[in-house]
Amino acid sequence: MNDRIDYIEFPSSDRPATSGFFRAAFGWGIVSYGPDYDGLDGAGIDGGVDQAAERVQASMAVVRTDDLDDAERRVVRAGGVITRAQFDFPGGRRFHFREPGGNELAVYVARPE
């Protein structure tokens, strides 16, 4: 099993301003994926800036797994609550959950190359 945090998302009410800040302050590259999402490049961990209406309200760690259905079963069995059912996105498929202490995270499986 290969479950590891490998992505972090930053919600933003102003994606261009947030992405511009990261570029100016830290020199990170920005990759645009449309009007609501920018990827971060060179940040030490992959990440993105999300301006979509359904974005989470706080920074969110994203865990990569090899088996999304199994990971979802393990999350629920351990006391996690699913906050967004599995859905497709450009990089693969994922779901969101809240752990018992209140943090929201996501788990994803990458789209086969």
Side-chain angles (χ1 to χ4, degrees):
M1 186 96 21
N2 188 20
D3 298 328
R4 61 184 168 87
I5 294 173
D6 81 341
Y7 202 89
I8 187 163
E9 287 188 338
F10 298 98
S12 176
S13 60
D14 187 341
R15 179 197 47 79
T18 299
S19 295
F21 168 82
F22 287 144
R23 182 178 326 152
F26 304 116
W28 298 344
I30 305 300
V31 179
S32 178
Y33 291 102
D36 291 328
Y37 202 90
D38 286 340
L40 301 175
D41 186 45
I45 186 170
D46 285 337
V49 177
D50 188 359
Q51 175 179 287
E54 65 275 5
R55 71 186 177 273
V56 294
Q57 297 304 305
S59 297
M60 180 175 66
V62 182
V63 177
R64 183 175 180 159
T65 191
D66 296 327
D67 184 332
L68 194 63
D69 292 329
D70 181 58
E72 184 173 0
R73 284 189 292 274
R74 290 184 281 121
V75 162
V76 170
R77 190 170 43 243
V81 175
I82 303 301
T83 58
R84 188 164 178 198
Q86 290 187 21
F87 64 97
D88 293 322
F89 72 103
R93 187 160 178 81
R94 71 195 247 179
F95 68 90
H96 296 189
F97 71 95
R98 191 170 321 285
E99 54 86 18
N103 293 293
E104 188 167 4
L105 293 90
V107 179
Y108 85 102
V109 63
R111 183 174 320 287
E113 295 182 18

